[in-house]
Amino acid sequence: MATQGHAAAANGHDAHGHGDHHELSFVQKYIFPLDHKIIGMQYLFTGILMGVIGALMSYAFRMQMAFPGKAVPPFGLITPEFYNSMVTNHGSIMIFWFAMPVLIAAFGNFLIPLMIGCDDMVFPRVNRLSYQIFLLSAIVLIASMFVPGGGFGGAWTSYPPLSASSVYNQTPYGAPMWLFAVALEFVAFLLGGINFITTLMNSRAPGMKMYNIPIVIWMIIIASILFMASVGPLIAGAVMLLFDQTIGTGFFDPVRGGDPVLWQHLFWFFGHPEVYVVLLPAMGIVAEVLPVFARKKLFAYKTVLWTAIATGVLSFVVWAHHQFVAGIDPRMANIFTVTTLLISVPVTEMLFVYIGTLYGASIQLTTPMLFAIAFIAEFLIGGVTGIFLGASGSDIYFHDTYFVLAHFHYTFIPIAVIAVFAGIYYWFPKMFGRFMNDFWGKVHFWGTAIPFNGIFLPLFYTGAAGDHRRSFDLLNFPELRQPNLIFARQFATISLLVMLGFQVIFFINFFYCMFRGRKAGANPWNANTLEWVAPSPPPHGNFAELPNCHRGPYEYSVPGRESDYWPQNEPAT
Amino acid sequence: MATAINVPGALPRGRQPLIPSAVIATLVLILTEVMYFCALISAFNVIRAQLFGNWAPPGDVRLPVAATAFNTALLLASGVTVWLSARAYKYPEGRTKAQLLLLVTITLGACFVGFQGYEWVKLVQYGMTMRSGIFGATFFMIIGSHGIHVLAAVLVMAFLYMRMLQGRLSLGALQAMQVFWLFVVGVWPILYRLVYFA
Ligand code: HEM
Ligand SMILES: [Cu+2]
């Protein structure tokens, strides 16, 4: 017993004292919170704000692509330096400051304690620190665009020697600040990931066995482990790159004995698992939404779980498919082609399982369900086009064209936009105790899903025709001046404007319904998982009485039961 | 931790963890650390292989192989003492022993950093710096990364030692520290072999 008493003291939670529900001041509650839900909200709002900034950047450079040389309101004429900096920071923001904080940190913080039935994270103060470091990193990144020389413009992959020396990249302050911001952000997610994994191990509701844990929690945990295991090499690379930039070592400078391809290995060893770090939580959100609105058990729970683990393991041995043209040994390229094609097997399997869940179900087409189904359909296109890039032969042609760009946006938009919207519409009643408007939700859905295809389908075409991804003005190339290519680029840009316009509906709906929406009860969707046992919105400490777990999370329409759902905390009679 | 005691009316059962949270958290951190050092080791090998045998310190600098062997012995000894300390701390009657052993560990760790710092000053005086060439850069990168870990761990141990004297140190925290220190000690021989005998 003595041991356990010590353990409780070790994590500092005792000082926090959930027992006394004393009133906290506004600053304590919302600015320096320890409560996982508020920290989750901070991550959500910061992440979405960064996402909006990233989207506005895409507006700037897409206008330049479609109408090169024309002034873009409100930016004016786009210079090449500004263009590069916008593209670089757009990519970095969308992956590191939008997709990761929202999918992992926001949903993870909000959902993990609620869905495993406990009162808070194991280390609340570490959790708060994680957000504060994240916020600092965001501020450093934004600031890096306003220093002398401008923001870093060497792409989110930051390849040396371009990135390693300001002689080449012309951004003596922007480049190190960009790198520093990324490093800070990693520290924030390290702290968060440690918290998530420890909380899942030590704070589950009694009775919640391995196969009773909701899939979204599994996915966030697996993603966190992937992140923790892959980020070490990138941190090492980032430190070396920072030394190259600031004190002039030559780690990545071939003239001085270094090796630029070494950076590519260190970066992609992280970079590829990273795409699964964001994919898996999105898959998890969809896995929660589908059974609830199909009123059907999730088809093949164990298959989803084990294929997710298989994907995670495989994602560590495919990284060099980003380097087929970097001069790697062709025999190596063959190996990485095989592993890359292999990894699409478990991913496909997950999609099949989701389709199997829909098969023969009585589907309710609510807004979250529409987004969840759209995720499956759209992500499929992203995954299938990955196969062409994974085959080293065809990738030599496709590499660094708009085809690659369209491929990964067909994976990232379903993940970071469509699945996130599914999650927000679905958990909004739990977050704020009110519903979002379903009609405007559906308008927003169609206004997102259709223009999204309008943006990126044409880019497959222009990419295959030779549009280079990292070019400021494609009209410099005579063979890219064909009218149909110009039209396709303009079509994509107009679609982007339409899609951005429809997001306004979402924000109005969101903020209006936060205060004025229809009131929701504790369990408005008749769902099974434990977060719906707590009141909406859950108070400090979450549950009036900590729940126990009696069954798996997806027992819908069980034959012989009166109601078509069976909450996890309800004792069997 | 979500011990049921914290919440009025909750069922007081089934929420006691098997492994202290601090230890799990440290193990997860070590996962990242292991990958970090793996990356440095492979970077070292990649860079060295490209110089086709011309891998040598600048000028007539020689790495202090023998002195560092002594330093290695100090560090390995501290791994044993931290283990004994955490073992003794489990029992009330082992408290003073644990205190003493932790103090020995801290001292050994501090000596390691101190000697290493001294060697570094000499190396820099002889003209081997991070900018003197790729040999110096990789040397200071790898050995420095490890040195920072030792330094940070020694500082945290000193903090834990103070809490121990006040009787406020939990076993879980000490065990977590032990796990981390054993990691720091454990990678050192690998790095020593790699860098000093290359
Ligand atoms: C399902 C199987 C997948 C396969 C076979 C695959 C394959 C590939 C390949 C071979 C490339 C390199 C293309 C090149 O640069 O020439 C690539 C690029 C990329 N993929 Fe995928 N991919 C898959 C899934 C995903 C997922 C799920 C995501 C994101 C969540 C993703 C995000 C990206 C990104 C961001 C890039 C571009 C990186 C850059 O150069 O900036 N991919 N993919
Ligand atoms: Cu990849």
Side-chain angles (χ1 to χ4, degrees), chain A residues 189-194 197 223-233 277, chain B residues 25 28-29 31-33 35:
Chain A
F189 278 95
L190 275 178
L191 297 177
I194 289 175
I197 297 166
S224 300
I225 297 175
L226 289 187
F227 178 77
M228 311 287 279
S230 63
V231 78
V277 168
Chain B
V28 179
L29 178 66
L31 172 68
T32 305
E33 296 279 8
M35 297 306 289

mmCIF file with all atom_site columns, all heavy atoms in Angstrom, chain A residues 189-194 197 223-233 277, chain B residues 25 28-29 31-33 35:
data_model
loop_
_atom_site.group_PDB
_atom_site.id
_atom_site.type_symbol
_atom_site.label_atom_id
_atom_site.label_alt_id
_atom_site.label_comp_id
_atom_site.label_asym_id
_atom_site.label_entity_id
_atom_site.label_seq_id
_atom_site.pdbx_PDB_ins_code
_atom_site.Cartn_x
_atom_site.Cartn_y
_atom_site.Cartn_z
_atom_site.occupancy
_atom_site.B_iso_or_equiv
_atom_site.pdbx_formal_charge
_atom_site.auth_seq_id
_atom_site.auth_comp_id
_atom_site.auth_asym_id
_atom_site.auth_atom_id
_atom_site.pdbx_PDB_model_num
ATOM 1   N N   . PHE A 1 189 ? 4.169  18.326 -27.823 1.00 0.00 ? 189 PHE A N   1
ATOM 2   C CA  . PHE A 1 189 ? 3.477  17.078 -28.101 1.00 0.00 ? 189 PHE A CA  1
ATOM 3   C C   . PHE A 1 189 ? 4.104  15.897 -27.386 1.00 0.00 ? 189 PHE A C   1
ATOM 4   O O   . PHE A 1 189 ? 3.418  14.921 -27.087 1.00 0.00 ? 189 PHE A O   1
ATOM 5   C CB  . PHE A 1 189 ? 3.393  16.842 -29.602 1.00 0.00 ? 189 PHE A CB  1
ATOM 6   C CG  . PHE A 1 189 ? 2.267  17.609 -30.183 1.00 0.00 ? 189 PHE A CG  1
ATOM 7   C CD1 . PHE A 1 189 ? 2.474  18.854 -30.733 1.00 0.00 ? 189 PHE A CD1 1
ATOM 8   C CD2 . PHE A 1 189 ? 0.980  17.108 -30.130 1.00 0.00 ? 189 PHE A CD2 1
ATOM 9   C CE1 . PHE A 1 189 ? 1.422  19.580 -31.224 1.00 0.00 ? 189 PHE A CE1 1
ATOM 10  C CE2 . PHE A 1 189 ? -0.069 17.832 -30.619 1.00 0.00 ? 189 PHE A CE2 1
ATOM 11  C CZ  . PHE A 1 189 ? 0.154  19.072 -31.174 1.00 0.00 ? 189 PHE A CZ  1
ATOM 12  N N   . LEU A 1 190 ? 5.404  16.003 -27.096 1.00 0.00 ? 190 LEU A N   1
ATOM 13  C CA  . LEU A 1 190 ? 6.012  14.952 -26.276 1.00 0.00 ? 190 LEU A CA  1
ATOM 14  C C   . LEU A 1 190 ? 5.342  14.908 -24.911 1.00 0.00 ? 190 LEU A C   1
ATOM 15  O O   . LEU A 1 190 ? 4.952  13.842 -24.420 1.00 0.00 ? 190 LEU A O   1
ATOM 16  C CB  . LEU A 1 190 ? 7.503  15.239 -26.081 1.00 0.00 ? 190 LEU A CB  1
ATOM 17  C CG  . LEU A 1 190 ? 8.436  14.765 -27.168 1.00 0.00 ? 190 LEU A CG  1
ATOM 18  C CD1 . LEU A 1 190 ? 9.855  15.175 -26.851 1.00 0.00 ? 190 LEU A CD1 1
ATOM 19  C CD2 . LEU A 1 190 ? 8.358  13.259 -27.252 1.00 0.00 ? 190 LEU A CD2 1
ATOM 20  N N   . LEU A 1 191 ? 5.191  16.095 -24.294 1.00 0.00 ? 191 LEU A N   1
ATOM 21  C CA  . LEU A 1 191 ? 4.572  16.131 -22.976 1.00 0.00 ? 191 LEU A CA  1
ATOM 22  C C   . LEU A 1 191 ? 3.144  15.609 -23.049 1.00 0.00 ? 191 LEU A C   1
ATOM 23  O O   . LEU A 1 191 ? 2.701  14.833 -22.196 1.00 0.00 ? 191 LEU A O   1
ATOM 24  C CB  . LEU A 1 191 ? 4.583  17.560 -22.435 1.00 0.00 ? 191 LEU A CB  1
ATOM 25  C CG  . LEU A 1 191 ? 5.962  18.166 -22.207 1.00 0.00 ? 191 LEU A CG  1
ATOM 26  C CD1 . LEU A 1 191 ? 5.848  19.596 -21.747 1.00 0.00 ? 191 LEU A CD1 1
ATOM 27  C CD2 . LEU A 1 191 ? 6.715  17.339 -21.177 1.00 0.00 ? 191 LEU A CD2 1
ATOM 28  N N   . GLY A 1 192 ? 2.420  16.038 -24.091 1.00 0.00 ? 192 GLY A N   1
ATOM 29  C CA  . GLY A 1 192 ? 1.046  15.570 -24.236 1.00 0.00 ? 192 GLY A CA  1
ATOM 30  C C   . GLY A 1 192 ? 0.988  14.066 -24.422 1.00 0.00 ? 192 GLY A C   1
ATOM 31  O O   . GLY A 1 192 ? 0.189  13.379 -23.783 1.00 0.00 ? 192 GLY A O   1
ATOM 32  N N   . GLY A 1 193 ? 1.856  13.540 -25.272 1.00 0.00 ? 193 GLY A N   1
ATOM 33  C CA  . GLY A 1 193 ? 1.819  12.107 -25.565 1.00 0.00 ? 193 GLY A CA  1
ATOM 34  C C   . GLY A 1 193 ? 2.129  11.276 -24.332 1.00 0.00 ? 193 GLY A C   1
ATOM 35  O O   . GLY A 1 193 ? 1.481  10.260 -24.068 1.00 0.00 ? 193 GLY A O   1
ATOM 36  N N   . ILE A 1 194 ? 3.103  11.726 -23.533 1.00 0.00 ? 194 ILE A N   1
ATOM 37  C CA  . ILE A 1 194 ? 3.427  11.011 -22.298 1.00 0.00 ? 194 ILE A CA  1
ATOM 38  C C   . ILE A 1 194 ? 2.180  10.934 -21.414 1.00 0.00 ? 194 ILE A C   1
ATOM 39  O O   . ILE A 1 194 ? 1.837  9.884  -20.868 1.00 0.00 ? 194 ILE A O   1
ATOM 40  C CB  . ILE A 1 194 ? 4.570  11.745 -21.564 1.00 0.00 ? 194 ILE A CB  1
ATOM 41  C CG1 . ILE A 1 194 ? 5.873  11.564 -22.337 1.00 0.00 ? 194 ILE A CG1 1
ATOM 42  C CG2 . ILE A 1 194 ? 4.712  11.247 -20.150 1.00 0.00 ? 194 ILE A CG2 1
ATOM 43  C CD1 . ILE A 1 194 ? 7.025  12.343 -21.762 1.00 0.00 ? 194 ILE A CD1 1
ATOM 44  N N   . ILE A 1 197 ? -0.562 8.430  -22.877 1.00 0.00 ? 197 ILE A N   1
ATOM 45  C CA  . ILE A 1 197 ? -0.257 7.009  -22.748 1.00 0.00 ? 197 ILE A CA  1
ATOM 46  C C   . ILE A 1 197 ? -0.364 6.585  -21.283 1.00 0.00 ? 197 ILE A C   1
ATOM 47  O O   . ILE A 1 197 ? -0.979 5.568  -20.956 1.00 0.00 ? 197 ILE A O   1
ATOM 48  C CB  . ILE A 1 197 ? 1.145  6.721  -23.323 1.00 0.00 ? 197 ILE A CB  1
ATOM 49  C CG1 . ILE A 1 197 ? 1.154  7.037  -24.823 1.00 0.00 ? 197 ILE A CG1 1
ATOM 50  C CG2 . ILE A 1 197 ? 1.541  5.282  -23.079 1.00 0.00 ? 197 ILE A CG2 1
ATOM 51  C CD1 . ILE A 1 197 ? 2.520  7.109  -25.434 1.00 0.00 ? 197 ILE A CD1 1
ATOM 52  N N   . ALA A 1 223 ? -1.237 6.646  -32.242 1.00 0.00 ? 223 ALA A N   1
ATOM 53  C CA  . ALA A 1 223 ? -0.628 7.793  -32.915 1.00 0.00 ? 223 ALA A CA  1
ATOM 54  C C   . ALA A 1 223 ? 0.402  8.453  -32.011 1.00 0.00 ? 223 ALA A C   1
ATOM 55  O O   . ALA A 1 223 ? 1.485  8.839  -32.470 1.00 0.00 ? 223 ALA A O   1
ATOM 56  C CB  . ALA A 1 223 ? -1.708 8.793  -33.321 1.00 0.00 ? 223 ALA A CB  1
ATOM 57  N N   . SER A 1 224 ? 0.098  8.572  -30.733 1.00 0.00 ? 224 SER A N   1
ATOM 58  C CA  . SER A 1 224 ? 1.064  9.188  -29.823 1.00 0.00 ? 224 SER A CA  1
ATOM 59  C C   . SER A 1 224 ? 2.333  8.359  -29.745 1.00 0.00 ? 224 SER A C   1
ATOM 60  O O   . SER A 1 224 ? 3.442  8.906  -29.732 1.00 0.00 ? 224 SER A O   1
ATOM 61  C CB  . SER A 1 224 ? 0.474  9.321  -28.417 1.00 0.00 ? 224 SER A CB  1
ATOM 62  O OG  . SER A 1 224 ? -0.669 10.108 -28.441 1.00 0.00 ? 224 SER A OG  1
ATOM 63  N N   . ILE A 1 225 ? 2.173  7.028  -29.684 1.00 0.00 ? 225 ILE A N   1
ATOM 64  C CA  . ILE A 1 225 ? 3.372  6.182  -29.616 1.00 0.00 ? 225 ILE A CA  1
ATOM 65  C C   . ILE A 1 225 ? 4.188  6.339  -30.895 1.00 0.00 ? 225 ILE A C   1
ATOM 66  O O   . ILE A 1 225 ? 5.411  6.473  -30.856 1.00 0.00 ? 225 ILE A O   1
ATOM 67  C CB  . ILE A 1 225 ? 2.976  4.710  -29.377 1.00 0.00 ? 225 ILE A CB  1
ATOM 68  C CG1 . ILE A 1 225 ? 2.287  4.584  -28.027 1.00 0.00 ? 225 ILE A CG1 1
ATOM 69  C CG2 . ILE A 1 225 ? 4.200  3.814  -29.435 1.00 0.00 ? 225 ILE A CG2 1
ATOM 70  C CD1 . ILE A 1 225 ? 1.746  3.210  -27.740 1.00 0.00 ? 225 ILE A CD1 1
ATOM 71  N N   . LEU A 1 226 ? 3.501  6.356  -32.041 1.00 0.00 ? 226 LEU A N   1
ATOM 72  C CA  . LEU A 1 226 ? 4.217  6.552  -33.304 1.00 0.00 ? 226 LEU A CA  1
ATOM 73  C C   . LEU A 1 226 ? 4.978  7.862  -33.272 1.00 0.00 ? 226 LEU A C   1
ATOM 74  O O   . LEU A 1 226 ? 6.140  7.946  -33.689 1.00 0.00 ? 226 LEU A O   1
ATOM 75  C CB  . LEU A 1 226 ? 3.237  6.596  -34.481 1.00 0.00 ? 226 LEU A CB  1
ATOM 76  C CG  . LEU A 1 226 ? 2.545  5.321  -34.899 1.00 0.00 ? 226 LEU A CG  1
ATOM 77  C CD1 . LEU A 1 226 ? 1.764  5.572  -36.168 1.00 0.00 ? 226 LEU A CD1 1
ATOM 78  C CD2 . LEU A 1 226 ? 3.550  4.243  -35.107 1.00 0.00 ? 226 LEU A CD2 1
ATOM 79  N N   . PHE A 1 227 ? 4.315  8.881  -32.780 1.00 0.00 ? 227 PHE A N   1
ATOM 80  C CA  . PHE A 1 227 ? 4.958  10.190 -32.738 1.00 0.00 ? 227 PHE A CA  1
ATOM 81  C C   . PHE A 1 227 ? 6.192  10.148 -31.851 1.00 0.00 ? 227 PHE A C   1
ATOM 82  O O   . PHE A 1 227 ? 7.267  10.604 -32.241 1.00 0.00 ? 227 PHE A O   1
ATOM 83  C CB  . PHE A 1 227 ? 3.971  11.237 -32.228 1.00 0.00 ? 227 PHE A CB  1
ATOM 84  C CG  . PHE A 1 227 ? 4.574  12.603 -32.102 1.00 0.00 ? 227 PHE A CG  1
ATOM 85  C CD1 . PHE A 1 227 ? 4.772  13.387 -33.217 1.00 0.00 ? 227 PHE A CD1 1
ATOM 86  C CD2 . PHE A 1 227 ? 4.970  13.079 -30.867 1.00 0.00 ? 227 PHE A CD2 1
ATOM 87  C CE1 . PHE A 1 227 ? 5.352  14.634 -33.108 1.00 0.00 ? 227 PHE A CE1 1
ATOM 88  C CE2 . PHE A 1 227 ? 5.552  14.322 -30.750 1.00 0.00 ? 227 PHE A CE2 1
ATOM 89  C CZ  . PHE A 1 227 ? 5.741  15.099 -31.869 1.00 0.00 ? 227 PHE A CZ  1
ATOM 90  N N   . MET A 1 228 ? 6.039  9.571  -30.650 1.00 0.00 ? 228 MET A N   1
ATOM 91  C CA  . MET A 1 228 ? 7.157  9.534  -29.721 1.00 0.00 ? 228 MET A CA  1
ATOM 92  C C   . MET A 1 228 ? 8.333  8.767  -30.316 1.00 0.00 ? 228 MET A C   1
ATOM 93  O O   . MET A 1 228 ? 9.487  9.121  -30.105 1.00 0.00 ? 228 MET A O   1
ATOM 94  C CB  . MET A 1 228 ? 6.763  8.848  -28.410 1.00 0.00 ? 228 MET A CB  1
ATOM 95  C CG  . MET A 1 228 ? 5.495  9.342  -27.804 1.00 0.00 ? 228 MET A CG  1
ATOM 96  S SD  . MET A 1 228 ? 5.672  10.937 -27.102 1.00 0.00 ? 228 MET A SD  1
ATOM 97  C CE  . MET A 1 228 ? 6.377  10.541 -25.588 1.00 0.00 ? 228 MET A CE  1
ATOM 98  N N   . ALA A 1 229 ? 8.023  7.686  -31.041 1.00 0.00 ? 229 ALA A N   1
ATOM 99  C CA  . ALA A 1 229 ? 9.103  6.856  -31.552 1.00 0.00 ? 229 ALA A CA  1
ATOM 100 C C   . ALA A 1 229 ? 9.764  7.481  -32.768 1.00 0.00 ? 229 ALA A C   1
ATOM 101 O O   . ALA A 1 229 ? 10.925 7.215  -33.051 1.00 0.00 ? 229 ALA A O   1
ATOM 102 C CB  . ALA A 1 229 ? 8.576  5.466  -31.897 1.00 0.00 ? 229 ALA A CB  1
ATOM 103 N N   . SER A 1 230 ? 9.028  8.313  -33.516 1.00 0.00 ? 230 SER A N   1
ATOM 104 C CA  . SER A 1 230 ? 9.617  8.822  -34.745 1.00 0.00 ? 230 SER A CA  1
ATOM 105 C C   . SER A 1 230 ? 10.230 10.201 -34.579 1.00 0.00 ? 230 SER A C   1
ATOM 106 O O   . SER A 1 230 ? 11.038 10.622 -35.399 1.00 0.00 ? 230 SER A O   1
ATOM 107 C CB  . SER A 1 230 ? 8.562  8.858  -35.856 1.00 0.00 ? 230 SER A CB  1
ATOM 108 O OG  . SER A 1 230 ? 7.530  9.740  -35.506 1.00 0.00 ? 230 SER A OG  1
ATOM 109 N N   . VAL A 1 231 ? 9.865  10.908 -33.515 1.00 0.00 ? 231 VAL A N   1
ATOM 110 C CA  . VAL A 1 231 ? 10.282 12.305 -33.443 1.00 0.00 ? 231 VAL A CA  1
ATOM 111 C C   . VAL A 1 231 ? 11.735 12.440 -33.006 1.00 0.00 ? 231 VAL A C   1
ATOM 112 O O   . VAL A 1 231 ? 12.390 13.436 -33.330 1.00 0.00 ? 231 VAL A O   1
ATOM 113 C CB  . VAL A 1 231 ? 9.332  13.102 -32.525 1.00 0.00 ? 231 VAL A CB  1
ATOM 114 C CG1 . VAL A 1 231 ? 9.638  12.846 -31.068 1.00 0.00 ? 231 VAL A CG1 1
ATOM 115 C CG2 . VAL A 1 231 ? 9.406  14.580 -32.835 1.00 0.00 ? 231 VAL A CG2 1
ATOM 116 N N   . GLY A 1 232 ? 12.261 11.424 -32.310 1.00 0.00 ? 232 GLY A N   1
ATOM 117 C CA  . GLY A 1 232 ? 13.650 11.512 -31.836 1.00 0.00 ? 232 GLY A CA  1
ATOM 118 C C   . GLY A 1 232 ? 14.621 11.842 -32.955 1.00 0.00 ? 232 GLY A C   1
ATOM 119 O O   . GLY A 1 232 ? 15.396 12.807 -32.861 1.00 0.00 ? 232 GLY A O   1
ATOM 120 N N   . PRO A 1 233 ? 14.617 11.065 -34.050 1.00 0.00 ? 233 PRO A N   1
ATOM 121 C CA  . PRO A 1 233 ? 15.534 11.372 -35.151 1.00 0.00 ? 233 PRO A CA  1
ATOM 122 C C   . PRO A 1 233 ? 15.353 12.778 -35.708 1.00 0.00 ? 233 PRO A C   1
ATOM 123 O O   . PRO A 1 233 ? 16.339 13.444 -36.053 1.00 0.00 ? 233 PRO A O   1
ATOM 124 C CB  . PRO A 1 233 ? 15.172 10.321 -36.203 1.00 0.00 ? 233 PRO A CB  1
ATOM 125 C CG  . PRO A 1 233 ? 14.657 9.191  -35.407 1.00 0.00 ? 233 PRO A CG  1
ATOM 126 C CD  . PRO A 1 233 ? 13.949 9.790  -34.239 1.00 0.00 ? 233 PRO A CD  1
ATOM 127 N N   . VAL A 1 277 ? 0.302  9.467  -37.930 1.00 0.00 ? 277 VAL A N   1
ATOM 128 C CA  . VAL A 1 277 ? -0.040 10.088 -36.657 1.00 0.00 ? 277 VAL A CA  1
ATOM 129 C C   . VAL A 1 277 ? -1.322 10.901 -36.803 1.00 0.00 ? 277 VAL A C   1
ATOM 130 O O   . VAL A 1 277 ? -2.158 10.938 -35.911 1.00 0.00 ? 277 VAL A O   1
ATOM 131 C CB  . VAL A 1 277 ? 1.117  10.981 -36.169 1.00 0.00 ? 277 VAL A CB  1
ATOM 132 C CG1 . VAL A 1 277 ? 0.687  11.856 -35.011 1.00 0.00 ? 277 VAL A CG1 1
ATOM 133 C CG2 . VAL A 1 277 ? 2.301  10.136 -35.754 1.00 0.00 ? 277 VAL A CG2 1
ATOM 134 N N   . ALA B 2 25  ? 5.599  7.133  -17.531 1.00 0.00 ? 25  ALA B N   1
ATOM 135 C CA  . ALA B 2 25  ? 5.919  8.350  -18.275 1.00 0.00 ? 25  ALA B CA  1
ATOM 136 C C   . ALA B 2 25  ? 7.397  8.371  -18.659 1.00 0.00 ? 25  ALA B C   1
ATOM 137 O O   . ALA B 2 25  ? 7.750  8.709  -19.788 1.00 0.00 ? 25  ALA B O   1
ATOM 138 C CB  . ALA B 2 25  ? 5.565  9.572  -17.437 1.00 0.00 ? 25  ALA B CB  1
ATOM 139 N N   . VAL B 2 28  ? 8.120  6.049  -21.541 1.00 0.00 ? 28  VAL B N   1
ATOM 140 C CA  . VAL B 2 28  ? 7.704  6.607  -22.830 1.00 0.00 ? 28  VAL B CA  1
ATOM 141 C C   . VAL B 2 28  ? 8.713  7.640  -23.304 1.00 0.00 ? 28  VAL B C   1
ATOM 142 O O   . VAL B 2 28  ? 9.095  7.678  -24.479 1.00 0.00 ? 28  VAL B O   1
ATOM 143 C CB  . VAL B 2 28  ? 6.294  7.218  -22.711 1.00 0.00 ? 28  VAL B CB  1
ATOM 144 C CG1 . VAL B 2 28  ? 5.880  7.818  -24.040 1.00 0.00 ? 28  VAL B CG1 1
ATOM 145 C CG2 . VAL B 2 28  ? 5.299  6.185  -22.275 1.00 0.00 ? 28  VAL B CG2 1
ATOM 146 N N   . LEU B 2 29  ? 9.184  8.456  -22.371 1.00 0.00 ? 29  LEU B N   1
ATOM 147 C CA  . LEU B 2 29  ? 10.192 9.454  -22.737 1.00 0.00 ? 29  LEU B CA  1
ATOM 148 C C   . LEU B 2 29  ? 11.449 8.770  -23.259 1.00 0.00 ? 29  LEU B C   1
ATOM 149 O O   . LEU B 2 29  ? 12.056 9.202  -24.241 1.00 0.00 ? 29  LEU B O   1
ATOM 150 C CB  . LEU B 2 29  ? 10.517 10.310 -21.514 1.00 0.00 ? 29  LEU B CB  1
ATOM 151 C CG  . LEU B 2 29  ? 11.593 11.374 -21.737 1.00 0.00 ? 29  LEU B CG  1
ATOM 152 C CD1 . LEU B 2 29  ? 11.096 12.421 -22.713 1.00 0.00 ? 29  LEU B CD1 1
ATOM 153 C CD2 . LEU B 2 29  ? 11.991 12.029 -20.432 1.00 0.00 ? 29  LEU B CD2 1
ATOM 154 N N   . LEU B 2 31  ? 11.662 6.025  -24.792 1.00 0.00 ? 31  LEU B N   1
ATOM 155 C CA  . LEU B 2 31  ? 11.439 5.582  -26.172 1.00 0.00 ? 31  LEU B CA  1
ATOM 156 C C   . LEU B 2 31  ? 11.932 6.648  -27.150 1.00 0.00 ? 31  LEU B C   1
ATOM 157 O O   . LEU B 2 31  ? 12.666 6.360  -28.109 1.00 0.00 ? 31  LEU B O   1
ATOM 158 C CB  . LEU B 2 31  ? 9.952  5.299  -26.380 1.00 0.00 ? 31  LEU B CB  1
ATOM 159 C CG  . LEU B 2 31  ? 9.487  5.008  -27.801 1.00 0.00 ? 31  LEU B CG  1
ATOM 160 C CD1 . LEU B 2 31  ? 10.047 3.684  -28.264 1.00 0.00 ? 31  LEU B CD1 1
ATOM 161 C CD2 . LEU B 2 31  ? 7.963  4.983  -27.874 1.00 0.00 ? 31  LEU B CD2 1
ATOM 162 N N   . THR B 2 32  ? 11.521 7.900  -26.887 1.00 0.00 ? 32  THR B N   1
ATOM 163 C CA  . THR B 2 32  ? 11.966 8.989  -27.752 1.00 0.00 ? 32  THR B CA  1
ATOM 164 C C   . THR B 2 32  ? 13.483 9.167  -27.680 1.00 0.00 ? 32  THR B C   1
ATOM 165 O O   . THR B 2 32  ? 14.153 9.364  -28.701 1.00 0.00 ? 32  THR B O   1
ATOM 166 C CB  . THR B 2 32  ? 11.277 10.295 -27.346 1.00 0.00 ? 32  THR B CB  1
ATOM 167 O OG1 . THR B 2 32  ? 9.873  10.080 -27.355 1.00 0.00 ? 32  THR B OG1 1
ATOM 168 C CG2 . THR B 2 32  ? 11.618 11.417 -28.283 1.00 0.00 ? 32  THR B CG2 1
ATOM 169 N N   . GLU B 2 33  ? 14.013 9.078  -26.472 1.00 0.00 ? 33  GLU B N   1
ATOM 170 C CA  . GLU B 2 33  ? 15.452 9.278  -26.287 1.00 0.00 ? 33  GLU B CA  1
ATOM 171 C C   . GLU B 2 33  ? 16.260 8.215  -27.029 1.00 0.00 ? 33  GLU B C   1
ATOM 172 O O   . GLU B 2 33  ? 17.283 8.520  -27.650 1.00 0.00 ? 33  GLU B O   1
ATOM 173 C CB  . GLU B 2 33  ? 15.789 9.212  -24.792 1.00 0.00 ? 33  GLU B CB  1
ATOM 174 C CG  . GLU B 2 33  ? 15.151 10.311 -23.978 1.00 0.00 ? 33  GLU B CG  1
ATOM 175 C CD  . GLU B 2 33  ? 15.918 11.607 -24.074 1.00 0.00 ? 33  GLU B CD  1
ATOM 176 O OE1 . GLU B 2 33  ? 16.839 11.677 -24.892 1.00 0.00 ? 33  GLU B OE1 1
ATOM 177 O OE2 . GLU B 2 33  ? 15.583 12.546 -23.333 1.00 0.00 ? 33  GLU B OE2 1
ATOM 178 N N   . MET B 2 35  ? 15.425 6.630  -29.677 1.00 0.00 ? 35  MET B N   1
ATOM 179 C CA  . MET B 2 35  ? 15.398 6.939  -31.105 1.00 0.00 ? 35  MET B CA  1
ATOM 180 C C   . MET B 2 35  ? 16.303 8.126  -31.424 1.00 0.00 ? 35  MET B C   1
ATOM 181 O O   . MET B 2 35  ? 16.942 8.171  -32.476 1.00 0.00 ? 35  MET B O   1
ATOM 182 C CB  . MET B 2 35  ? 13.970 7.222  -31.568 1.00 0.00 ? 35  MET B CB  1
ATOM 183 C CG  . MET B 2 35  ? 13.026 6.062  -31.445 1.00 0.00 ? 35  MET B CG  1
ATOM 184 S SD  . MET B 2 35  ? 13.606 4.581  -32.259 1.00 0.00 ? 35  MET B SD  1
ATOM 185 C CE  . MET B 2 35  ? 13.435 5.056  -33.961 1.00 0.00 ? 35  MET B CE  1
#
